[in-house]
Amino acid sequence: MLTELNIDDLVKLKKTHPCGSFTWKVTRLGANIGLKCQGCGHYLLFPRSKLERIMKGAPTANS
């Protein structure tokens, strides 16, 4: 089961984005999770099931 996510949480993915960043910010919750790359600002939508497989560790709250 997917760890509970909130808007503005930071998640790390197993693979780097082509810009070199591992860190993504949660921008949308629902059937699909919207993520924004913290390195270059690229935006992606992932289904919850896929995000569960590609996430590395638990999300961290962005303060």
Side-chain angles (χ1 to χ4, degrees), residues 9-60:
D9 280 355
L10 295 176
V11 295
K12 288 192 176 189
L13 303 185
K14 292 179 183 175
K15 291 188 176 182
T16 61
H17 189 248
C19 73
S21 177
F22 279 100
T23 310
W24 294 76
K25 185 176 190 177
V26 176
T27 58
R28 179 184 187 276
L29 295 173
N32 293 317
I33 308 296
L35 299 175
K36 184 175 180 182
C37 178
Q38 294 300 284
C40 65
H42 189 79
Y43 183 78
L44 293 175
L45 282 174
F46 284 108
R48 284 183 176 266
S49 58
K50 181 166 183 168
L51 184 61
E52 180 180 287
R53 292 191 313 263
I54 65 173
M55 248 175 59
K56 181 180 182 181
T60 58

